[in-house]
Amino acid sequence: MKVAGCRQRLKRGIAVLSILSMVGGMLFAAESEELIAAESLSTGEEVQYIVETPYDKAIFIENGIEFHQVAGDTWQGLMLVIPDASRVFVGTPRDTYDGSAGANATTIATRYGALAAVNGAFFVDENYVGNGGTPIGVVFSEGVMKYGDTKSVWNVMGFDANNNFVCEPMTGAQALERGIRDAVHCKPILVQNGQVTNLKGASTTLMDARTAVGARADGCVLLLQIDGRMAHSIGATTKDMAECMIAFGAVSAGNLDGGGSVSNYYNGGKLPGIVSSYGKRRGPNAFCVRYEVKGEVADEEVTTEETDS
């Protein structure tokens, strides 16, 4: 998957831009479709290739990202389409994993000066009192293996040094050999070769808030986050997530932590249209999106006090 190929496809497209008013995060009100105003995009660098699917309720574009308001029978959420995979990376609460508490997406994004972020991987949570500071599996961040061993097999999901999306079982040693730059352990793998995987377990029927990452064949990255445990959105199953990813052209995708671990950040606030950003529960990492110019990591370490965003 090459970024150049994705951009070439973007430049060829003349798409339809739907502009929404972002009011209180509730972009899924019954009358929201009436707010959509369509206009043609001009040609040039800012042209986006917009995917239209049965899940789409509205679309808007900002900071080089497509934001698709999506909904299914029991859920509502947001799909981010990011043409340039080099902008997506894994952020961590601090430089090393030493047992200290984790952080939510807002805190991690702020540390890196990132534009956007969604919560990352699962963490050790014995007796449901984990502080989110010890991840499960491996963690690669900006070309460095920050957590994990070289022998165990994990579902490694992320990007290699050439910005190709990777989502498959491998050992830490194999991940190092592959030149993985940013990745975490996902569970389960949702999509392989454009098909729903053989999903098993309670997550196939349990509806909850969820987060997933995937990629299309042209290299565009897909970040999907679903509201859950709310009247307007009970939540999605892993099968729902896989099917939505495929509808957006995903050839590969994996599931991240969900439920109370769902948190997000966008340009100073929460992702537009997502209200189930619980915020208080800390996690071990986050998938972040850079501004067009790479931000600098803050010198200070994150604190244990966090905001609700």
Side-chain angles (χ1 to χ4, degrees), residues 114-138:
L115 169 67
V118 295
N119 65 280
F122 298 86
F123 57 89
V124 177
D125 193 17
E126 294 182 2
N127 300 317
Y128 302 99
V129 293
N131 64 8
T134 304
I136 294 175
V138 296

Side-chain angles (χ1 to χ4, degrees), residues 40-98:
S40 296
L41 290 171
S42 60
T43 58
E45 291 297 327
E46 298 304 316
V47 171
Q48 303 288 319
Y49 179 83
I50 296 180
V51 176
E52 296 184 47
T53 80
Y55 297 99
D56 269 325
K57 299 301 176 186
I59 305 167
F60 64 95
I61 297 173
E62 192 172 87
N63 291 309
I65 301 174
E66 293 176 16
F67 294 82
H68 295 251
Q69 308 295 332
V70 292
D73 292 338
T74 63
W75 55 269
Q76 298 175 356
L78 190 71
M79 175 74 82
L80 279 62
V81 181
I82 305 158
D84 185 355
S86 70
R87 295 178 65 187
V88 185
F89 68 100
V90 172
T92 58
R94 51 189 52 82
D95 288 338
T96 59
Y97 286 99
D98 57 6

Side-chain angles (χ1 to χ4, degrees), residues 54 73 87 108 114 133 141 144 153 161 175 185 217 224 243 265 308:
D73 292 338
R87 295 178 65 187
I108 295 175
S141 179
V144 177
V153 177
H185 167 62
L224 176 60
E243 291 176 345
Y265 171 85
D308 291 334

Side-chain angles (χ1 to χ4, degrees), residues 123-207:
F123 57 89
V124 177
D125 193 17
E126 294 182 2
N127 300 317
Y128 302 99
V129 293
N131 64 8
T134 304
I136 294 175
V138 296
V139 177
F140 284 78
S141 179
E142 298 187 306
V144 177
M145 185 177 182
K146 292 196 171 183
Y147 189 83
D149 63 77
T150 57
K151 295 181 179 180
S152 301
V153 177
W154 304 98
N155 294 331
V156 177
M157 180 174 72
F159 304 89
D160 66 17
N162 295 317
N163 301 316
N164 296 311
F165 184 72
V166 176
C167 186
E168 60 186 82
M170 68 179 79
T171 64
Q174 290 170 328
L176 288 168
E177 291 173 3
R178 288 275 294 271
I180 298 299
R181 65 162 171 85
D182 289 273
V184 301
H185 167 62
C186 70
K187 182 181 180 181
I189 294 176
L190 300 171
V191 179
Q192 285 182 322
N193 300 317
Q195 302 293 321
V196 178
T197 61
N198 184 21
L199 302 172
K200 298 179 181 179
S203 64
T204 60
T205 56
L206 177 64
M207 293 175 285

Side-chain angles (χ1 to χ4, degrees), residues 8 80 101 111 138 169 175 185 188 199 276 282 297 303-304:
Q8 184 178 11
L80 279 62
R111 177 177 185 243
V138 296
H185 167 62
L199 302 172
S276 62
R282 302 173 176 89
V297 177
T303 66
T304 56

